[in-house]
Amino acid sequence: MMSTIFDKIIAREIPADIVHDDEHVLGFRDVNPQAPVHVLFIPKQPVATLNDLSPGDEAVVGRLAMAAARYAKSEGFAEDGYRVVINCNRDGGQSVYHLHLHLLAGRAMAWPPG
């Protein structure tokens, strides 16, 4: 896997507004937010896409989801609601090839997303 901007954020080579940091997951505010709250949660383990997960990697996505849910609760918008999205490959809207979960909140979300 080639190095991405997210690898540089993990290594603290470029700045980010970090809101979550543990052994496995880093969370930071998106620089191009699509909602009043837009946080990206990424695994510190390099994985390009959902398609690149291997058997035994179930915990990777679970950790991202749990970190997002904990953040939503700690920030007080969990009860109002939020959206989590994982894009996969170009047609799925993925632009950085390091697996990441988008947490969007602070406004009502439309459906279908488009």
Side-chain angles (χ1 to χ4, degrees):
M1 190 172 116
M2 294 181 58
S3 181
T4 69
I5 190 169
F6 293 170
D7 295 305
K8 293 176 180 171
I9 291 171
I10 291 167
R12 304 302 200 272
E13 294 172 5
I14 60 173
D17 187 358
I18 296 171
V19 300
H20 176 89
D21 188 4
D22 67 29
E23 179 183 357
H24 301 285
V25 175
L26 189 69
F28 50 92
R29 295 184 198 287
D30 194 300
V31 297
N32 184 27
Q34 302 301 304
V37 177
H38 189 169
V39 176
L40 302 177
F41 291 89
I42 65 173
K44 290 183 177 178
Q45 165 188 337
V47 177
T49 75
L50 273 175
N51 294 338
D52 296 304
L53 292 169
S54 300
D57 284 341
E58 294 85 357
V60 173
V61 176
R63 288 182 185 115
L64 297 178
M66 292 300 297
R70 281 192 304 271
Y71 182 76
K73 290 174 188 170
S74 73
E75 295 299 304
F77 57 81
E79 293 302 316
D80 289 338
Y82 56 97
R83 178 172 288 169
V84 294
V85 176
I86 297 176
N87 300 320
C88 186
N89 285 325
R90 184 190 66 239
D91 285 355
Q94 186 174 7
S95 59
V96 177
Y97 287 85
H98 184 124
L99 180 65
H100 54 287
L101 179 150
H102 297 259
L103 180 147
L104 301 138
R107 66 172 171 82
M109 301 290 155
W111 193 262

